[in-house]
Amino acid sequence: MSPEMSNSEIIGRTRDEMAKRVAQDIPDGSYVNLGIGIPELIAKFVPEGREFIYHTENGLLGMGPSPAEGEGNPELINAGKRQVTALPGASYFHHPDSFAMIRGGHIDLCVLGALQVAKNGDLANWSTGGPDAIPAVGGAMDLVAGVKCIFVVTQHCTKQGSPKLVDECTYPLTGPGVVNRIYTDLAVIEITPRGFQLIELSPGVSFEYAQERTGAPLLPIAP
Amino acid sequence: MSPEMSNSEIIGRTRDEMAKRVAQDIPDGSYVNLGIGIPELIAKFVPEGREFIYHTENGLLGMGPSPAEGEGNPELINAGKRQVTALPGASYFHHPDSFAMIRGGHIDLCVLGALQVAKNGDLANWSTGGPDAIPAVGGAMDLVAGVKCIFVVTQHCTKQGSPKLVDECTYPLTGPGVVNRIYTDLAVIEITPRGFQLIELSPGVSFEYAQERTGAPLLPIAP
Amino acid sequence: MIDKRVESLASAVADICDGATVMVGGFGEAGSPIELIHALIDQGATGLTVINNNTGSGEVGLAALIKAGRVAKMICSYPRSLNSTVFPELYKAGKIELELVPQGTLAERIRAGGAGIPAFFTATSVGTPLEIGKEKRTFGSREYVLEFGLSADFSLIKCKRADPYGNLIYNKTARNFGPAMAMAGKVTIVQSESIVPAGEIDPENIITPGIFVNRVVLVENPQHESALVAAGVSYP
Amino acid sequence: MIDKRVESLASAVADICDGATVMVGGFGEAGSPIELIHALIDQGATGLTVINNNTGSGEVGLAALIKAGRVAKMICSYPRSLNSTVFPELYKAGKIELELVPQGTLAERIRAGGAGIPAFFTATSVGTPLEIGKEKRTFGSREYVLEFGLSADFSLIKCKRADPYGNLIYNKTARNFGPAMAMAGKVTIVQSESIVPAGEIDPENIITPGIFVNRVVLVENPQHESALVAAGVSYP
């Protein structure tokens, strides 16, 4: 382990900064599904002049922010089972219709968390495959199979310091070759036929620092 | 041709009487789809103390009678494209839902017209198969494939005097072995593994008279 | 910001290209987007494949599009309605192709196309001439045929009320094919009798969520096909 | 005459037999028919196969049914929710079977079961461990797996308002699996927060037409699962 890796100082983007950085890359007017965890934070950072419509697969298009304390409704929740609100222009629908939106290719963009992303775009985010794990998949496989563009937002490494961006996933796949871009605390990376193409390093992060924490070659930004 | 067959006197049931006879055999509370022609008349004859809910496959459950003159709505029509009304408790739905009702086995009973019915229950009612005919099927094949019980109501013979109840259909099938009962001007007949089982002769009609006009053996009513 | 309203019928259909597959809503005249169809006639696209339950009546709306020679192929369940003369004549003359699909299979194929389902099995048409050429399989004790999802380059539909997000509600039995075709069209173009601000349609009552809609054009007093046919109108 | 109201929860579930397949509506607590599930616990049927998106939380509702040992098999997409401990323990002990189905595939399989579609193809799960054992086929340039329709002997669902014909409307995201399960249940049993005379629900706004519903029982003030769990309630 390099000296930097044991550095307790925060290097790279915070969770909020990662979410804000993702939001910058979402085109105006997009229909967006946000996974649980860091992706949920993205809703706070819609850039000036743009409008995104959030889809939650349990049956709401036009999802708004969390309700004020005490004003929530246990029958108005998101896919993470947290209470939310509905914006003007929202609509409710049943599960087959909601997943027709996903599986029929009508959602423009989905932002998900990850356990591992391989250099060919394989995503593992539903199970560690452990013999004792209770398998639980929810809508993750539907989203990666059906949504046109898949962004992943995740810490670059696990809490134990292992790379989450890998040569090949060791965990069970959510979908093969489905990821388009990865946003981490350290970098923005695009999946290309040649592998992990670096798009941008977070402020204060060097190429070497990011490469050391990545399980496959990072292709440098073209000069 | 027997002397009786050229008799211009009306023998057997009228169209209204046939419709009324069918209605007597529909259980209370049934969800019923009525085909075009004589079946449409059945709605006038709901027996005392029973309630049927009529489904029209273009998207209405709880169809009521024709509107009063001048009160119709060109966007409230039945499958025959005639203006209808909606009763209290009615609902509108789109085509996939409407045909899910039919194809999913949710309609209890369907009454259809026929070109031919074979002794094994084969029904032909959508095309004469002529080389010059424009084929047009509508919802007929969905109805016979999906509805639990299929009644046919039809004149016993064509205008030319040929039997419509036949040994084997010569016209293209709507569905194989789908008919349960046949109501004609002359008789009520059940399709059984042994063929056309006579259930009832219309008033004034003899067994021989009906048999002469039927293209396969009529099994007499058990004494 | 999101606003799917377009100014005119002409601009709504401007990019429909020759050879496109076009779904057209409606069952008979109920739900038929006559004004959009007439705009498409004016626009000139030809060699179209059109998916509709019927083939129009008289010489207006879909029948007029067919009469103008713009339709190479119809996919429908019932091309033989009352007052339908344009299609039968062209069909008998061998000038238009027909794919006949049972009505429920047509509806389900359109939904499948919109829902990402490439194919499904159904009992409808088994044992009839319409099973010819279809793959068959037994599930349980029953035979089924394999049918394929249908999608379109453009869908033209009519509704009663819309908002700028493209959320729609329909009128009575004019709903028919609209919701499924909105799902199955790559570009879904809607004519609406009224357009209200976002939030005015109760989110519980929206039938077609805006995600399925690309363009909304206001047609406040749409014509009725039966009235035009009765008056002997021939478009254009 | 048609009146689908039944007097009590007990009579609504009285004929659910041992070994039955039971669909239970709800996504998490939203739409969960807790009172019907508790009546089923009281009724005693066992060896059930239950279809629900989750496996309940705490020791009320679906989790209580599982805890009581009545469920032989769960078919669900996400058996690992917050406060879900009953199912994981039984599963690890090998005392309950699990069929894990992606959420969209689950929803579509239920709809297919209700719509007479024995099987359909979908891209979901291709290239993952959940494709194992499934038939695969290529349409166009893409691979798909074959999935089968699901139906049930009984469906238990919750709605906001019903009428005596069984027409239903739901509340916000509590709609979720209700409409599809109503279609796929041979006997569909509904608990409703209110029952109004026929005609009071606008026919344009009915989400589940009464044809899919067999019994309606009034539960005016249904309990909320999260409140029961927070209070540490264990049923019975």
Side-chain angles (χ1 to χ4, degrees):
Chain A
M1 194 180 272
S2 76
E4 285 171 316
M5 286 181 84
S6 58
N7 196 332
S8 64
E9 198 188 332
I10 289 173
I11 290 178
R13 292 194 165 102
T14 63
R15 288 162 55 96
D16 266 359
E17 288 165 350
M18 289 157 69
K20 189 173 178 185
R21 179 62 189 83
V22 175
Q24 287 170 17
D25 287 356
I26 303 179
D28 184 32
S30 294
Y31 288 92
V32 180
N33 183 294
L34 299 177
I36 300 169
I38 305 177
E40 289 181 85
L41 304 174
I42 293 168
K44 295 194 294 185
F45 298 108
V46 179
E48 184 73 25
R50 286 188 228 172
E51 182 177 14
F52 308 150
I53 296 188
Y54 292 113
H55 171 262
T56 181
E57 61 264 32
N58 53 314
L60 168 61
L61 197 65
M63 180 177 67
S66 304
E69 186 69 28
E71 289 180 14
N73 182 329
E75 297 199 323
L76 177 46
I77 61 176
N78 68 10
K81 306 197 175 84
R82 252 187 274 268
Q83 293 182 6
V84 294
T85 52
L87 299 174
S91 53
Y92 298 108
F93 32 81
H94 59 52
H95 256 62
D97 277 355
S98 185
F99 282 86
M101 293 176 190
I102 292 171
R103 294 150 63 111
H106 304 281
I107 309 278
D108 297 303
L109 186 90
C110 177
V111 189
L112 292 169
L115 294 168
Q116 292 178 325
V117 184
K119 65 180 184 201
N120 66 353
D122 287 359
L123 173 67
N125 81 343
W126 68 285
S127 169
T128 57
D132 215 36
I134 311 278
V137 64
M141 287 186 185
D142 304 293
L143 286 162
V144 300
V147 178
K148 295 166 194 160
C149 181
I150 303 289
F151 285 177
V152 160
V153 57
T154 178
Q155 301 295 338
H156 209 88
C157 295
T158 67
K159 280 172 193 155
Q160 292 73 36
S162 307
K164 293 181 134 194
L165 283 60
V166 296
D167 195 57
E168 205 169 321
C169 291
T170 55
Y171 293 146
L173 294 194
T174 308
V178 296
V179 175
N180 298 90
R181 278 196 171 203
I182 310 163
Y183 297 80
T184 78
D185 47 334
L186 305 185
V188 179
I189 291 159
E190 180 129 334
I191 301 289
T192 70
R194 295 166 56 234
F196 291 127
Q197 172 64 57
L198 189 64
I199 298 291
E200 178 184 305
L201 288 163
S202 297
V205 175
S206 69
F207 179 84
E208 293 68 26
Y209 185 90
Q211 177 63 78
E212 273 176 40
R213 286 157 183 78
T214 305
L218 271 185
L219 307 174
I221 302 169
Chain B
M1 192 179 270
S2 76
E4 284 170 319
M5 287 180 86
S6 59
N7 197 334
S8 62
E9 199 188 334
I10 291 171
I11 290 179
R13 292 193 166 104
T14 64
R15 287 161 55 96
D16 266 359
E17 286 165 353
M18 289 157 67
K20 190 173 177 184
R21 179 63 190 80
V22 174
Q24 287 170 17
D25 286 357
I26 303 178
D28 185 32
S30 294
Y31 289 92
V32 180
N33 182 294
L34 298 178
I36 300 170
I38 304 177
E40 288 180 85
L41 303 175
I42 293 169
K44 297 193 291 185
F45 299 106
V46 178
E48 184 74 26
R50 287 189 227 172
E51 181 178 13
F52 309 149
I53 297 187
Y54 292 112
H55 170 264
T56 180
E57 61 264 33
N58 54 311
L60 167 61
L61 198 65
M63 180 176 67
S66 304
E69 185 67 29
E71 287 179 15
N73 182 329
E75 297 199 324
L76 177 46
I77 60 176
N78 69 9
K81 306 196 174 84
R82 252 187 275 266
Q83 294 183 6
V84 294
T85 52
L87 299 174
S91 54
Y92 298 108
F93 32 81
H94 58 52
H95 256 64
D97 277 356
S98 184
F99 281 86
M101 294 176 190
I102 293 170
R103 294 150 63 113
H106 304 280
I107 309 279
D108 298 303
L109 185 90
C110 177
V111 189
L112 291 170
L115 293 169
Q116 292 177 325
V117 183
K119 66 181 184 201
N120 66 352
D122 288 359
L123 174 67
N125 81 343
W126 68 285
S127 169
T128 57
D132 215 38
I134 309 280
V137 64
M141 287 186 185
D142 304 292
L143 286 162
V144 300
V147 176
K148 295 164 195 163
C149 182
I150 304 288
F151 285 177
V152 161
V153 57
T154 179
Q155 302 294 339
H156 208 87
C157 295
T158 66
K159 281 175 191 153
Q160 291 73 37
S162 308
K164 291 181 136 196
L165 280 61
V166 296
D167 194 58
E168 203 170 323
C169 292
T170 55
Y171 294 146
L173 292 194
T174 308
V178 296
V179 175
N180 298 90
R181 277 196 171 202
I182 310 163
Y183 297 80
T184 77
D185 45 337
L186 304 186
V188 179
I189 292 160
E190 180 129 334
I191 301 291
T192 70
R194 295 169 54 236
F196 292 126
Q197 172 65 58
L198 188 63
I199 298 291
E200 179 184 305
L201 288 164
S202 297
V205 174
S206 68
F207 178 83
E208 292 68 28
Y209 185 91
Q211 177 64 76
E212 274 176 41
R213 284 154 185 79
T214 304
L218 271 186
L219 307 174
I221 303 168
Chain C
M1 311 303 276
I2 298 170
D3 186 349
K4 298 181 179 177
R5 290 174 291 181
V6 293
E7 275 306 303
S8 68
L9 287 156
S11 59
V13 301
D15 57 350
I16 300 182
C17 48
D18 289 354
T21 295
V22 183
M23 290 182 178
V24 176
F27 173 86
E29 72 172 319
S32 179
I34 293 190
E35 284 75 10
L36 281 172
I37 300 169
H38 288 173
L40 178 57
I41 293 173
D42 298 346
Q43 188 256 29
T46 191
L48 305 172
T49 294
V50 172
I51 301 167
N52 177 270
N53 190 62
N54 306 102
T55 54
S57 67
E59 299 187 354
V60 294
L62 177 54
L65 184 72
I66 296 170
K67 182 158 192 266
R70 308 294 174 69
V71 182
K73 179 180 177 179
M74 283 298 313
I75 300 177
C76 71
S77 87
Y78 206 85
R80 210 176 53 194
S81 305
L82 190 67
N83 298 317
S84 176
T85 55
V86 168
F87 176 85
E89 280 169 25
L90 285 170
Y91 180 74
K92 286 180 184 173
K95 290 184 175 158
I96 191 165
E97 196 183 337
L98 169 66
E99 179 178 343
L100 189 72
V101 182
Q103 195 172 338
T105 296
L106 182 64
E108 191 66 25
R109 288 181 65 191
I110 295 168
R111 180 191 176 274
I117 294 170
F120 59 89
F121 287 94
T122 176
T124 297
S125 89
V126 168
T128 81
L130 295 190
E131 75 163 29
I132 294 169
K134 293 175 186 167
E135 177 177 333
K136 288 169 78 174
R137 191 185 299 198
T138 300
F139 296 94
S141 57
R142 198 162 180 200
E143 268 195 319
Y144 297 83
V145 293
L146 185 68
E147 297 280 1
F148 299 95
L150 269 177
S151 57
D153 300 308
F154 297 88
S155 286
L156 308 183
I157 63 177
K158 177 188 178 187
C159 77
K160 183 183 176 185
R161 190 168 301 143
D163 72 19
Y165 288 109
N167 293 307
L168 313 182
I169 58 171
Y170 299 85
N171 185 38
K172 306 186 189 289
T173 57
R175 186 184 302 187
N176 57 68
F177 283 92
M181 288 184 172
M183 292 168 67
K186 286 189 200 81
V187 176
T188 292
I189 306 167
V190 180
Q191 66 170 75
S192 181
E193 290 185 45
S194 69
I195 302 179
V196 298
E200 281 208 7
I201 309 176
D202 184 335
E204 297 281 9
N205 300 344
I206 289 169
I207 302 300
T208 292
I211 193 169
F212 296 125
V213 171
N214 299 84
R215 299 171 198 160
V216 178
V217 59
L218 181 66
V219 177
E220 280 182 294
N221 294 297
Q223 297 177 287
H224 290 297
E225 190 176 280
S226 54
L228 295 176
V229 172
V233 174
S234 178
Y235 193 86
Chain D
M1 311 303 276
I2 298 171
D3 186 349
K4 298 181 178 177
R5 290 174 290 181
V6 293
E7 274 307 302
S8 68
L9 287 156
S11 59
V13 302
D15 56 350
I16 300 182
C17 48
D18 289 355
T21 296
V22 183
M23 290 183 179
V24 177
F27 173 86
E29 71 171 320
S32 180
I34 293 189
E35 284 75 10
L36 280 172
I37 300 169
H38 289 175
L40 178 57
I41 293 173
D42 298 346
Q43 188 258 32
T46 191
L48 304 173
T49 293
V50 172
I51 301 168
N52 177 269
N53 190 62
N54 307 102
T55 55
S57 67
E59 299 186 355
V60 295
L62 178 55
L65 184 72
I66 296 170
K67 183 158 191 265
R70 309 293 174 72
V71 181
K73 178 179 178 180
M74 282 297 313
I75 300 177
C76 72
S77 87
Y78 206 86
R80 209 175 55 194
S81 306
L82 190 68
N83 299 318
S84 176
T85 55
V86 168
F87 177 86
E89 280 169 24
L90 285 170
Y91 180 75
K92 286 179 184 173
K95 290 183 178 160
I96 191 166
E97 195 183 338
L98 170 65
E99 178 179 342
L100 189 73
V101 182
Q103 195 172 337
T105 297
L106 183 63
E108 191 66 26
R109 288 180 64 190
I110 295 168
R111 179 191 177 275
I117 294 171
F120 60 89
F121 287 94
T122 176
T124 296
S125 87
V126 169
T128 80
L130 295 190
E131 74 162 30
I132 293 168
K134 293 175 186 168
E135 176 177 332
K136 288 168 77 173
R137 191 184 300 197
T138 300
F139 296 95
S141 58
R142 199 162 179 200
E143 268 195 320
Y144 297 83
V145 293
L146 185 68
E147 298 279 1
F148 299 95
L150 270 177
S151 56
D153 300 309
F154 297 89
S155 287
L156 307 183
I157 63 178
K158 178 188 178 188
C159 77
K160 182 182 177 188
R161 190 166 302 141
D163 71 21
Y165 287 109
N167 293 307
L168 313 180
I169 59 173
Y170 299 86
N171 185 38
K172 304 182 188 294
T173 58
R175 187 184 302 187
N176 57 67
F177 282 93
M181 288 182 171
M183 291 168 67
K186 283 188 204 80
V187 176
T188 292
I189 306 167
V190 180
Q191 66 170 75
S192 180
E193 291 185 45
S194 69
I195 301 179
V196 298
E200 281 208 8
I201 310 177
D202 184 338
E204 296 280 9
N205 301 342
I206 288 168
I207 302 300
T208 292
I211 192 170
F212 297 125
V213 170
N214 301 84
R215 299 172 197 160
V216 178
V217 59
L218 182 66
V219 178
E220 279 182 295
N221 293 298
Q223 297 177 286
H224 290 297
E225 188 177 282
S226 56
L228 295 176
V229 172
V233 174
S234 180
Y235 193 85

